[in-house]
Amino acid sequence: MTQSVSAAIAAALLTGEPRDKVMQVRALARAWRKGTLAWDWAVPMPDRPAVPPGLQLLPPGQMPRRRKGGSEATRVALWHSLAHIEFMAIDLALDAAGRFGEAQGPDFVSDFLAVAADEAMHWSLIARKLRTLDSHYAALPAHDGLWEAADATKGDVAARLAVVPMVLEARGLDVTPAARDRIRASGDEGGARILQRILDDEIRHVAVGAKHFAQVAQRRGESYENYWEMLVRQHFHGTLKPPFNDSARQAAGLPRRVYVALA
């Protein structure tokens, strides 16, 4: 019996063991590309995805402060936080495809399953890096703020696109170059290459969100810029902090005039 796309996505979301999830996401994306998944949306998405065994999730305000400097513990904490971001990014992309795909259509599903596969690859690169530091994902606590944003926008695809790719992931475009440069300056060229690969891919991921947001806004008869600003003010409780990586944001389809009013 052919597996449905909704069942396959829900199963991946409910897989908490990281390497199992990565393999499942790769198989899911491959099956979708080959057209072997049934267009059936009977299986609902879980309220939240499974987490890795032993991972302690904390509210963002309770996370221990990461010390600056070049100590081994500081490096482990940095790569662990990046591993968590990428792991949650897998689930955010899967949830977008599974929660909104039926209404938004095959192009939307294709785009977000491809994003999920990229994020799984990013996680694998970082997990390998952690192993070189004699650590692993779930060795340290991680914050739960990313899924809070997903939960807050689960009722509206426009809100999800406005907040997750166009605010949270776009923030990665701003902060990743400085992290890459610090890592390179410390002599870790391999680590710098990992962050450069992530940055290159994230530009494309933000562009996916911006593209589909523009399509939703057009269908609803809304102004792209005004609608985005309204949804961000309504659903995002943080702040947009400069400096911005204007060139990367422009490449992702986010011109400066769109986000500078909220800074």
Side-chain angles (χ1 to χ4, degrees):
M1 183 176 178
T2 302
Q3 186 180 29
S4 72
V5 62
S6 59
I9 294 172
L13 283 165
L14 291 171
T15 300
E17 203 290 318
R19 288 180 181 81
D20 289 347
K21 182 187 285 286
V22 165
M23 297 305 293
Q24 203 156 341
V25 169
R26 288 174 178 167
L28 164 58
R30 187 163 54 247
W32 172 259
R33 288 194 303 269
K34 291 181 176 179
T36 58
L37 296 173
W39 184 263
D40 183 314
W41 297 92
V43 178
M45 295 302 108
D47 288 336
R48 66 172 300 138
V51 297
L55 177 66
Q56 182 184 12
L57 289 175
L58 298 175
Q62 294 182 21
M63 284 291 294
R65 289 187 176 273
R66 200 164 67 231
R67 288 174 292 180
K68 295 182 179 180
S71 71
E72 186 84 357
T74 301
R75 290 196 296 273
V76 168
L78 169 64
W79 288 105
H80 191 276
S81 69
L82 293 171
H84 182 63
I85 289 169
E86 296 301 327
F87 192 80
M88 293 304 299
I90 299 170
D91 287 328
L92 289 168
L94 289 173
D95 187 76
R99 191 171 299 276
F100 304 114
E102 182 179 20
Q104 299 304 311
D107 184 52
F108 184 95
V109 176
S110 293
D111 282 345
F112 279 95
L113 290 185
V115 169
D118 284 347
E119 307 293 15
M121 180 267 292
H122 297 166
W123 183 88
S124 297
L125 292 173
I126 296 170
R128 190 182 309 153
K129 181 67 176 178
L130 277 171
R131 288 197 296 275
T132 71
L133 298 170
D134 295 322
S135 189
H136 62 277
Y137 181 42
L140 298 175
H143 73 80
D144 204 24
L146 288 173
W147 196 256
E148 290 175 6
D151 189 59
T153 57
K154 64 184 178 183
D156 180 20
V157 65
R160 174 66 64 86
L161 294 168
V163 170
V164 174
M166 298 173 71
V167 172
L168 298 180
E169 291 190 81
R171 181 63 179 156
L173 305 183
D174 303 329
V175 301
T176 301
R180 175 203 60 204
D181 293 345
R182 286 196 303 271
I183 287 170
R184 177 170 284 135
S186 75
D188 184 0
E189 183 60 32
R193 285 199 298 270
I194 291 172
L195 290 193
Q196 184 62 53
R197 173 61 188 269
I198 291 173
L199 176 62
D200 293 342
D201 290 343
E202 292 301 337
I203 291 173
R204 189 173 68 255
H205 299 172
V206 175
V208 164
K211 176 186 79 171
H212 287 287
F213 180 82
Q215 292 173 356
V216 173
Q218 183 178 39
R219 288 197 299 269
R220 295 180 180 181
E222 300 282 357
S223 157
Y224 177 100
E225 294 177 26
N226 294 339
Y227 196 38
W228 180 76
E229 183 175 342
M230 182 198 76
L231 289 167
V232 172
R233 291 188 186 278
Q234 182 177 349
H235 295 280
F236 180 65
H237 304 301
T239 56
L240 273 68
K241 298 177 182 178
F244 299 114
N245 186 346
D246 292 328
S247 61
R249 285 170 171 260
Q250 181 71 43
L254 294 180
R256 183 174 175 80
R257 68 179 187 276
V258 174
Y259 54 83
V260 74
L262 289 172

